[in-house]
DNA sequence: GCACGGATAAACATCT
DNA sequence: CAGATGTTTATCCGTG
């Protein structure tokens, strides 16, 4: 209190702030809506694809091996003389996904394991061939469609990148298996000779294997066919994906129909991921075969009068044309976003963004529930997070809310995430807040040094929008984020309010409380500068001041060092993913800014550093006391989150990586998320 | 125990 | 005058 008053008296008064003319020059630009309308940069996640492919291959192989192990007429009369297979009932009942490599090692003989690897390799090989085919298809298209050449070139780049990724993933997978003692193959070694396969399998099993492989080949045939159709039927840059979804499925038929693992549906799911068409569950009527044009027109008609126009701007993805009134906007819409290939493509991309978000939400919800289960919290409604949460939760914002908070944690949104968001809270705080009535308000512990606000928001944007969950950030961080999210980096108080309510369901009630807090923070913190405008006053962020107040907290945490070390192992892998993702996003969306944003955001996610942390680093760096040669990743590790539970981190990291990257490719406001981490340069 | 930062509440002033 | 906006102070709490 005393300190605050001492420092705040220095703070500039409204009168002398009027002199800040550079920031008030854009008097008409205020009030940009941030975050809700920017669903333009959603993109396929190659990492998702690769993971799915890997899992797919694993499942296929495991299922096959499992059949090999269980499908024998009699375990005692095993045809594999090297290693009579004894499969426990429980093991046989397990789904293929539940069988770990170690378990497989126990139940499989070396030849079988080699077979398993060969299947994987075959699988990868086929996928690579598919990608090559698609690449060729795209090249053909490029020849015919000079106008789309640039975009296609980018797509080719993305495909090539995926090829590289796939190869890397394959090698990595094999290496992992080797490390686990599953395989003796050298990385560069080819597939297992047929003879060894025959030794390991009975003829029927071999048949099964070849059917699996044949299914892929069959797919290729169809893809060629579809590719031709593609070039004749459509010229837009995304239509290829629509055509490629279907062929994989119906042509992968098995005469005996007993290979349940390598089902068409599963094929579709990962192929869909690649083509950015969603899987069965996510296919929309549009993507399931409705004519593209109807898709376009329906969407356009539905949204033109509302969602695509706001604050005098056209909100068509990537447009932002200024329109004074609705009439002008309609005119603009009809002229610039008429029914053509480009609009159709953009519409498709938008659809895919939505689908991707849905998938992402499902993943995150699943992870949250697993985490809650691990922490002995009871998710009372398993599907809770797949739907908009009840915003009229009985909880109240202020201290009172802790009083009415039952110990049994019956409110998943609040109990699970209020103490802290799912990904960061340790059990201790959960218990302290939920069991001891401390309440979620006093849980500043992680407000600053957990995930970056930008990436956290990007990752859980939809969650916070719908769930009545308090965001784990300080008011100052949120305000700053809201302001920096806008193009002109200034917001009126009311716009800040709107941002809060728009982005967080939690702030849609108890408005007096948090609005007061917002005002209080705006006034209190020197980093928020009030600028008089023609229209009124707007608030801007003084990034230097914002950073000034944070460094002291980050010094010498033992946990920090520990996490730095633990985080190192993931960095190199991430780097390739980042690069690949940047390439992919560049190619698929043809947007340089998106590429940078995706890369930056991915970096954010990968080292899971808080914005405060990043800013701190930047500041230190700018002062010259840090080595300038460190890469962002290295910085990220150095300042790694200190409060992230280590075991949780390890468990969730691969998923988090995938999810994060996916999200960053598809979430709105990514460009601003990037700026979140580069505030100093951006603001000057 | 203390310093500090953040959240909350509230009083007050000013502006629209 | 009411409401919005902005400032300031006080208090509580969690963390280091």
């Amino acid at each position: 209190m005393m300190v605050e008053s001492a420092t705040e008296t220095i703070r500039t008064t409204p009168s002398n702030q009027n002199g800040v003319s550079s920031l008030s020059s854009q008097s008409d630009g205020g009030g940009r809506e941030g975050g809700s309308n920017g669903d333009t940069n959603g993109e396929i996640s190659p990492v998702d694809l690769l993971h799915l492919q890997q899992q797919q291959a694993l499942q296929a192989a495991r299922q096959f091996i499992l059949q090999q192990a269980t499908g024998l007429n009699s375990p005692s009369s095993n045809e594999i003389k090297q290693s009579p297979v004894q499969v426990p009932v429980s093991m046989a009942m397990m789904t293929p996904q539940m069988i770990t490599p170690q378990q497989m090692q126990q139940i499989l003989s070396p030849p079988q394991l080699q077979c398993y690897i060969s299947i994987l390799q075959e699988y990868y090989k086929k996928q690579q061939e598919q990608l090559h085919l698609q690449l060729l298809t795209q090249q053909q298209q490029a020849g015919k469609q000079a106008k789309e050449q640039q975009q296609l070139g980018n797509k080719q780049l993305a495909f090539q990148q995926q090829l590289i990724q796939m190869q890397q993933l394959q090698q990595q997978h094999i290496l992992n298996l080797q490390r686990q003692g599953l395989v003796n193959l050298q990385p560069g070694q080819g597939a297992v000779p047929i003879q060894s396969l025959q030794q390991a399998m009975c003829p029927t099993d071999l048949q099964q294997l070849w059917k699996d492989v044949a299914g892929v080949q069959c797919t290729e045939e169809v893809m060629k066919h579809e590719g031709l159709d593609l070039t004749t039927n459509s010229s837009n840059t995304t239509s290829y994906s629509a055509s490629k979804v279907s062929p994989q499925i119906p042509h992968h038929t098995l005469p005996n129909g007993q290979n349940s693992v390598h089902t068409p549906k599963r094929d579709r799911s990962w192929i869909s991921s690649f083509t950015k068409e969603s899987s069965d569950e996510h296919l929309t009527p549009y993507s399931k075969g409705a004519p593209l044009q109807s898709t376009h027109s329906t969407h356009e008609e539905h949204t033109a009068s509302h969602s695509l126009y706001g604050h005098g701007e056209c909100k068509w993805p990537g447009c932002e044309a200024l329109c004074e009134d609705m009439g002008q906007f309609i005119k603009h819409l009809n002229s610039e976003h008429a029914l053509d290939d480009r609009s159709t493509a953009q519409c498709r991309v938008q659809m895919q963004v939505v689908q991707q978000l849905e998938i992402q939400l499902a993943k995150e919800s699943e992870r949250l529930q697993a985490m809650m289960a691990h922490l002995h919290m009871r998710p009372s409604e398993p599907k809770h997070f797949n739907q908009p949460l009840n915003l009229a939760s009985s909880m109240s914002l202020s201290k009172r809310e802790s009083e009415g908070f039952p110990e049994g944690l019956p409110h998943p949104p609040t109990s699970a995430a209020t103490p802290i968001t799912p990904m960061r809270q340790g059990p201790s705080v959960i218990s302290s807040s939920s069991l001891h009535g401390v309440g979620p308000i006093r849980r500043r512990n992680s407000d600053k040094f957990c995930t970056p606000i930008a990436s956290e928001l990007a990752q859980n944007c939809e969650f916070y929008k719908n769930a009545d969950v308090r965001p784990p950030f300080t008011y100052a961080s949120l305000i700053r984020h809201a302001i920096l999210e806008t193009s002109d980096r200034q917001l009126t108080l009311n716009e800040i309010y709107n941002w809060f309510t728009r982005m967080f369901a939690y702030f849609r009630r108890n408005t007096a409380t948090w609005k007061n807090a917002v005002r209080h923070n705006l006034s209190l913190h020197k980093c928020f500068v009030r600028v008089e405008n023609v229209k009124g006053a707007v608030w801007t962020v003084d990034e230097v001041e914002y950073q000034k107040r944070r460094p002291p907290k980050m010094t010498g945490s033992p946990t920090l060092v520990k996490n730095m070390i633990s985080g190192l192992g993931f960095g190199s892998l991430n780097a390739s993913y980042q690069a690949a993702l940047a390439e992919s996003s560049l190619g698929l969306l043809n947007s340089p800014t998106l590429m940078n944003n995706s890369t930056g955001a991915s970096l954010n996610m990968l080292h899971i550093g808080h914005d405060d942390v990043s800013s701190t680093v930047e500041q230190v760096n700018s002062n010259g006391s840090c080595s300038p040669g460190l890469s962002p990743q290295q910085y990220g590790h150095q300042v790694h989150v200190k409060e992230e539970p280590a075991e949780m981190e390890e468990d969730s990291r691969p998923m988090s990586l995938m999810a994060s990257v996916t999200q960053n490719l598809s979430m709105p406001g990514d460009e601003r998320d990037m700026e979140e981490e580069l505030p100093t340069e951006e603001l000057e």
Side-chain angles (χ1 to χ4, degrees):
Chain A
M1 175 170 61
M2 294 178 61
V3 174
E4 283 178 358
S5 58
T7 55
E8 294 305 319
T9 49
I10 309 172
R11 193 172 184 280
T12 54
T13 62
S15 58
N16 61 17
Q17 284 169 348
N18 293 342
V20 187
S21 58
S22 61
L23 289 171
S24 61
S25 57
Q26 300 178 351
S27 59
D28 294 334
R32 264 196 52 110
E33 296 285 317
S36 66
N37 65 327
D39 299 340
T40 64
N41 44 2
E43 204 37 71
I44 179 175
S45 163
V47 179
D48 254 330
L49 162 72
L50 291 170
H51 277 273
L52 284 168
Q53 287 174 337
Q54 191 178 17
Q55 290 173 3
Q56 178 75 10
L58 272 169
Q59 287 169 2
R62 286 175 182 171
Q63 174 68 13
F64 169 74
I65 299 299
L66 191 64
Q67 286 181 346
Q68 166 74 17
T70 59
L72 301 173
N73 295 333
S74 167
S76 58
S77 62
N78 200 329
E79 291 166 311
I80 305 170
K81 53 182 181 242
Q82 294 94 328
S83 162
V85 178
Q86 301 287 340
V87 183
V89 175
S90 60
M91 184 71 71
M93 297 289 286
M94 294 171 77
T95 63
Q97 297 95 317
M98 296 170 66
I99 302 176
T100 67
Q102 287 75 20
Q103 288 169 333
M104 292 187 65
Q105 192 177 17
Q106 290 172 357
I107 66 173
L108 299 177
S109 64
Q112 286 174 315
L113 288 170
Q114 290 194 333
C115 170
Y116 169 68
I117 295 306
S118 72
I119 293 173
L120 291 181
Q121 290 175 331
E122 190 67 28
Y123 217 96
Y124 282 122
K125 186 182 169 188
K126 294 300 171 186
Q127 303 318 312
Q128 291 175 29
E129 289 173 2
Q130 286 184 12
L131 286 172
H132 276 301
L133 273 170
Q134 290 172 347
L135 196 60
L136 287 173
T137 304
Q138 288 303 310
Q139 286 169 343
Q140 290 174 355
Q141 278 188 278
K144 295 178 181 179
Q145 311 282 336
K147 185 181 177 182
E148 305 283 337
Q149 198 165 10
Q150 180 63 37
Q151 288 175 307
L152 289 171
N154 290 333
K155 285 187 178 302
Q156 291 164 12
L157 197 63
F159 281 135
Q160 287 169 342
Q161 198 64 48
Q162 288 175 337
L163 273 173
I164 296 171
Q165 285 181 349
M166 185 167 290
Q167 288 164 354
Q168 290 174 344
L169 198 65
Q170 176 184 0
Q171 288 182 354
Q172 183 189 347
H173 189 191
I174 301 298
L175 282 172
N176 284 339
L177 290 172
Q178 282 185 287
R179 257 185 245 122
Q180 293 165 356
L182 275 176
V183 209
N184 295 324
L185 292 175
Q186 296 301 316
Q189 195 170 332
V192 181
I194 298 298
Q195 291 84 346
S196 64
L197 288 181
Q198 289 171 335
Q199 285 175 2
M201 305 176 194
C202 64
T204 53
D205 291 328
L206 271 176
Q207 234 179 344
Q208 195 79 43
L209 172 62
W210 297 127
K211 284 171 186 169
D212 280 332
V213 176
V216 180
Q217 291 171 330
C218 182
T219 300
E220 292 175 13
E221 297 291 327
V222 176
M223 287 178 72
K224 289 175 186 172
H225 177 70
E226 292 290 328
L228 290 175
D229 290 347
L230 198 64
T231 54
T232 56
N233 285 346
S234 72
S235 57
N236 72 65
T237 57
T238 54
S239 57
Y240 76 96
S241 63
S243 308
K244 294 241 169 79
V245 180
S246 49
Q248 187 84 5
I249 304 100
H251 297 273
H252 182 79
T253 53
L254 298 176
N256 54 11
Q258 65 184 154
N259 191 348
S260 59
V261 166
H262 205 158
T263 58
K265 183 174 180 178
R266 187 162 292 143
D267 275 349
R268 180 198 290 231
S269 72
W270 66 264
I271 285 293
S272 299
S273 293
F274 166 67
T275 58
K276 281 192 37 59
E277 291 292 338
S278 63
S279 59
D280 252 353
E281 303 77 29
H282 298 91
L283 278 176
T284 67
Y286 297 144
S287 56
K288 272 186 172 170
L292 224 50
Q293 293 189 349
S294 70
T295 300
H296 171 76
S297 58
T298 305
H299 181 76
E300 178 177 340
E301 287 171 9
H302 179 68
T303 57
S305 58
H306 301 287
S307 304
L308 288 177
Y309 182 68
H311 293 269
E313 277 186 6
C314 172
K315 293 187 173 183
W316 187 277
C319 179
E320 296 186 354
L322 295 176
C323 303
E324 290 180 3
D325 53 21
M326 183 62 76
Q328 187 179 347
F329 166 72
I330 296 293
K331 198 176 297 180
H332 161 80
L333 197 63
N334 289 329
S335 61
E336 297 298 318
H337 309 300
L339 179 55
D340 57 13
D341 291 337
R342 182 169 154 271
S343 298
T344 305
Q346 290 173 327
C347 188
R348 276 207 157 272
V349 169
Q350 185 66 20
M351 286 165 50
Q352 290 156 357
V353 167
V354 173
Q355 291 166 359
Q356 201 68 34
L357 288 173
E358 289 172 355
I359 296 170
Q360 175 69 16
L361 177 61
K363 286 176 187 172
E364 294 298 327
S365 300
E366 198 174 318
R367 178 160 56 153
L368 170 62
Q369 289 182 21
M371 294 166 69
M372 290 169 67
H374 173 70
L375 299 176
H376 309 293
M377 302 174 69
R378 288 187 294 123
S380 62
E381 299 171 42
K383 293 181 179 179
H384 194 96
F385 297 99
N386 289 329
Q387 297 169 352
L389 299 173
N390 178 18
L391 303 184
S393 167
S394 59
M395 311 289 289
S396 77
L397 176 64
S398 64
K399 295 167 187 172
R400 271 84 72 190
E401 76 185 295
S402 58
E403 299 168 63
F405 196 26
E407 292 188 355
L409 304 173
H411 305 301
T414 355
S415 62
T418 297
I420 238 45
T421 30
M423 20 186 72
R424 68 178 52 115
Q425 186 55 58
S428 60
V429 182
I430 288 176
S431 61
S432 70
S433 62
S434 58
L435 299 182
H436 302 150
V438 174
I441 299 305
R442 312 295 185 189
R443 76 213 184 317
R444 184 179 50 82
N445 58 328
S446 63
D447 281 349
K448 279 200 146 197
F449 300 111
C450 285
T451 59
I453 183 171
S455 54
E456 166 79 17
L457 277 184
Q459 200 171 8
N460 300 314
C461 174
E462 291 302 317
F463 176 75
Y464 289 126
K465 277 181 182 173
N466 297 319
D468 192 9
V469 169
R470 185 190 178 86
F473 309 107
T474 64
Y475 282 110
S477 299
L478 290 171
I479 294 168
R480 171 179 172 265
H481 186 74
I483 292 173
L484 294 185
E485 226 186 43
T486 62
S487 58
D488 40 9
R489 295 182 178 83
Q490 55 179 236
L491 282 179
T492 66
L493 179 66
N494 198 41
E495 288 164 348
I496 296 174
Y497 289 162
N498 293 335
W499 186 85
F500 271 70
T501 53
R502 190 176 65 246
M503 297 298 290
F504 304 98
Y506 183 82
F507 291 122
R508 286 167 202 155
R509 52 190 180 80
N510 297 88
T511 55
T513 300
W514 64 261
K515 282 181 178 177
N516 185 26
V518 167
R519 291 196 306 272
H520 166 77
N521 274 268
L522 284 171
S523 291
L524 185 67
H525 298 303
K526 284 187 286 185
C527 59
F528 299 120
V529 181
R530 183 175 175 274
V531 178
E532 288 289 344
N533 240 346
V534 179
K535 286 166 59 180
V538 294
W539 290 93
T540 61
V541 177
D542 184 343
E543 200 59 35
V544 177
E545 286 295 331
Y546 186 81
Q547 294 168 17
K548 269 184 185 175
R549 62 194 182 91
R550 292 173 294 167
K553 278 195 129 183
M554 279 310 294
T555 53
S557 165
T559 320
L560 175 64
V561 177
K562 178 188 163 194
N563 284 333
M564 283 164 46
I565 297 170
S566 68
L568 286 176
F570 223 68
S572 57
L573 176 62
N574 293 337
S576 60
Y577 278 142
Q578 293 155 19
L581 286 166
E583 293 288 341
S584 300
S585 61
L586 169 68
L588 290 169
L589 272 191
N590 199 18
S591 165
T593 53
L594 175 66
M595 178 193 73
N596 293 332
N597 300 333
S598 302
T599 310
S602 300
L603 291 176
N604 297 342
M605 311 299 273
L606 295 173
H607 55 66
I608 318 179
H610 195 275
D611 58 336
D612 295 34
V613 173
S614 302
S615 301
T616 301
V617 169
E618 277 182 24
Q619 188 191 15
V620 170
N621 192 29
S622 65
N623 291 339
S625 56
C626 264
S627 165
L630 289 177
S631 68
Q633 291 96 326
Q634 287 171 307
Y635 278 137
H637 293 308
Q638 281 190 336
V639 296
H640 201 278
V641 190
K642 62 179 175 183
E643 291 179 5
E644 188 117 355
E647 69 278 5
M648 187 69 68
E649 197 172 28
E650 288 179 6
D651 290 340
S652 63
R653 255 192 157 166
M655 183 62 190
S656 177
L657 164 67
M658 183 169 65
S660 304
V661 167
T662 306
Q663 192 74 9
N664 273 283
L665 284 172
S666 55
M667 287 301 292
D670 281 342
E671 52 187 330
R672 277 89 183 230
D673 292 346
M674 181 59 189
E675 292 164 5
E676 174 88 11
E677 310 304 324
L678 300 169
T680 307
E681 307 90 88
E682 292 292 322
L683 286 175
E684 293 170 0

